[in-house]
Amino acid sequence: SERVARIAIELGRELGLVGDDLSDLYLAGLLHDVGKIGIRDDVLCKHGPLTPEETEHMKQHPAIGHSILKDLRQVSNLLPGVLHHHERWDGKGYPYGLATEAIPRLARILAVADSYDAMSTSRPYRKAMSPANVETILSEGAGEQWDPQVIQAFQRAKVRIRSIRERGLGESLRQ
């Protein structure tokens, strides 16, 4: 989540966000997957593909995260990022199947940051993809899975984003 937050900051900067908007983006990045606390460990740590039932269970994490945070007034402005970071530009995402501009901007940025991090990180069920492969997938998914403007921002920031992948946890906070 810390990497996702740092990647989101780079995307936000490219999109012209400043000040409190960048702070919100960073905090939303840290909190976006808090709902995974409610996902069974056997699903989170599974070494193979998920069954349809396990996939549906995993898809509950944005709503679980929203539920965990909804009564905390201090983070209420971050809730759209937590709840909608798995929506897709084409409307085929979850939990509500929102499309295009109906997806909160915070969530559209987090979706790209989270996807980049997920694809470029080894998981129990697969090895990390190469940066070039991840960048190709993101580019090909612009206008389908991801907001094309956020993907353009990614392309402009990809050198900085790659370096986030290579730095250790907390490095960005010292800079």
Side-chain angles (χ1 to χ4, degrees):
S1 289
E2 201 258 349
R3 260 191 323 268
V4 170
R6 289 189 284 155
I7 293 166
I9 287 290
E10 293 301 330
L11 295 172
R13 285 181 178 140
E14 283 297 324
L15 291 164
L17 300 182
V18 296
D20 288 346
D21 289 334
L22 286 177
S23 294
D24 288 350
L25 192 54
Y26 186 81
L27 291 173
L30 292 176
L31 294 171
H32 79 284
D33 272 347
V34 70
K36 285 187 177 177
I37 206 165
I39 302 301
R40 297 188 321 261
D41 285 346
D42 64 305
V43 173
L44 282 176
C45 302
K46 188 170 180 179
H47 288 276
L50 299 179
T51 67
E53 181 272 333
E54 292 166 335
T55 298
E56 289 307 309
H57 178 57
M58 180 65 85
K59 285 182 177 181
Q60 293 175 18
H61 83 271
I64 293 169
H66 182 271
S67 180
I68 290 169
L69 300 172
K70 71 180 181 194
D71 294 326
L72 300 173
R73 189 175 38 83
Q74 300 91 331
V75 297
S76 63
N77 56 324
L78 308 179
L79 293 176
V82 173
L83 183 59
H84 299 294
H85 71 277
H86 283 291
E87 300 287 1
R88 289 175 46 122
W89 189 253
D90 61 10
K92 296 178 183 176
Y94 60 91
Y96 296 113
L98 300 180
T100 64
E101 301 290 328
I103 305 166
R105 188 176 197 193
L106 186 65
R108 287 182 271 143
I109 296 169
L110 289 174
V112 173
D114 188 36
S115 296
Y116 177 85
D117 184 65
M119 289 186 279
S120 64
T121 304
S122 291
R123 302 291 197 212
Y125 52 90
R126 64 149 176 79
K127 293 189 186 290
M129 296 180 195
S130 72
N133 192 20
V134 173
E135 291 161 12
T136 298
I137 291 168
L138 289 172
S139 291
E140 290 173 354
E144 248 182 86
Q145 185 163 353
W146 301 286
D147 178 340
Q149 288 183 325
V150 180
I151 296 300
Q152 289 171 2
F154 173 84
Q155 293 299 338
R156 293 189 303 270
K158 69 183 175 183
V159 171
R160 294 190 315 272
I161 290 171
R162 277 187 185 186
S163 73
I164 288 170
R165 209 46 225 104
E166 296 163 7
R167 289 194 303 248
L169 191 63
E171 272 299 303
S172 63
L173 299 177
R174 285 192 285 276
Q175 295 181 351

